[in-house]
């Protein structure tokens, strides 16, 4: 038998497998010596251990990422009244989709809807979250918001107080693309 390590590419980017083949005896060829077979098995074992470790750790990689490097966003949502604002804010905070929601009253919105210009007094929610959570956050807003087409606009946060940004990341659940 001949041990041959191979390295196919996988989702984790690192993997190792073993190809074991039975070779025909040839008068000139010698089978691998016991020490080289042990070395191959040792290398294979280490590769397998690394693969298993990486596969197991990948879902938890966000915990190892530097919070300052996790992309964050400010998401803007308008609501018709304070009650709706509290309902949306609570849904986002309780599900850890947002670290903080500010409710800014007295916003006057002018917009096209149903073929005419409308003007309404609304509240503006400024929601702080991770960029990786915007899709899930948007779905949650749509689920609890009374408007047919609620405003949900995300703007990247390009800087800020490092301790605040760390708190923001630590206060929200990890998203699928948090690893930098």
């Amino acid at each position: 038998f001949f041990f041959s390590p191979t390295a196919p590419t996988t989702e984790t980017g690192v993997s190792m497998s073993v190809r074991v083949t039975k070779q025909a005896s040839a008068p000139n060829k010698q089978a691998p010596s016991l020490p080289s077979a042990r070395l191959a098995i040792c290398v294979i074992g280490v590769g397998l251990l690394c693969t298993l470790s990486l596969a197991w750790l990948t879902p938890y990689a966000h915990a190892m990422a530097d919070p300052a490097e996790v992309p964050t966003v400010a998401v803007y949502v308008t609501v018709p009244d304070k009650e709706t604002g509290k309902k949306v804010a609570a849904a986002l905070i309780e599900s850890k989709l947002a670290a903080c929601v500010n409710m800014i009253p007295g916003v006057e919105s002018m917009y096209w809807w149903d073929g005419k210009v409308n003007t309404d007094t609304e509240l503006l929610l400024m929601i702080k979250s991770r960029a990786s959570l915007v899709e899930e956050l948007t779905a949650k807003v749509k689920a609890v918001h009374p408007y047919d087409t609620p405003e949900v606009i995300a703007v990247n946060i390009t800087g800020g107080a490092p301790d605040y940004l760390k708190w923001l990341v630590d206060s929200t659940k990890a998203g699928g693309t948090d690893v930098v």
Side-chain angles (χ1 to χ4, degrees):
F1 291 95
F2 181 73
F3 294 91
S4 170
T6 61
T9 305
T10 64
E11 291 175 10
T12 60
V14 178
S15 181
M16 181 172 266
S17 62
V18 179
R19 189 178 311 133
V20 180
T21 55
K22 185 175 182 182
Q23 292 190 334
S25 312
N28 304 6
K29 293 222 170 185
Q30 290 184 334
S33 66
L34 187 57
S36 66
R38 281 186 185 156
L39 176 62
I41 291 170
C42 180
V43 167
I44 291 163
V46 170
L48 182 60
L49 178 61
C50 289
T51 299
L52 290 175
S53 296
L54 284 173
W56 181 75
L57 289 174
T58 299
Y60 304 99
H62 67 275
M64 296 181 283
D66 180 358
E69 294 180 13
V70 175
T72 53
V73 290
V75 181
Y76 298 100
V77 174
T78 53
V79 293
D81 53 51
K82 191 171 186 173
E83 182 181 320
T84 303
K86 285 183 176 184
K87 182 178 174 183
V88 171
L92 297 175
I93 297 291
E94 289 168 4
S95 61
K96 299 194 71 68
L97 292 170
C100 176
V101 178
N102 302 113
M103 289 187 271
I104 305 165
V107 173
E108 189 168 334
S109 299
M110 183 178 285
Y111 55 95
W112 279 101
W113 191 254
D114 288 334
K116 62 181 179 178
V117 175
N118 293 277
T119 303
D120 287 311
T121 300
E122 299 178 298
L123 278 80
L124 177 65
L125 305 182
M126 187 171 72
I127 304 159
K128 276 73 77 183
S129 185
R130 295 173 184 233
S132 61
L133 296 175
V134 170
E135 188 175 320
E136 191 176 350
L137 184 150
T138 301
K140 180 70 83 172
V141 168
K142 287 181 166 188
V144 299
H145 204 289
Y147 293 170
D148 293 335
T149 307
E151 172 188 0
V152 182
I153 299 172
V155 179
N156 289 327
I157 297 173
T158 60
D163 52 344
Y164 180 83
L165 296 176
K166 179 183 181 329
W167 169 83
L168 189 162
V169 169
D170 291 345
S171 299
T172 51
K173 70 181 188 174
T177 57
D178 286 341
V179 181
V180 204

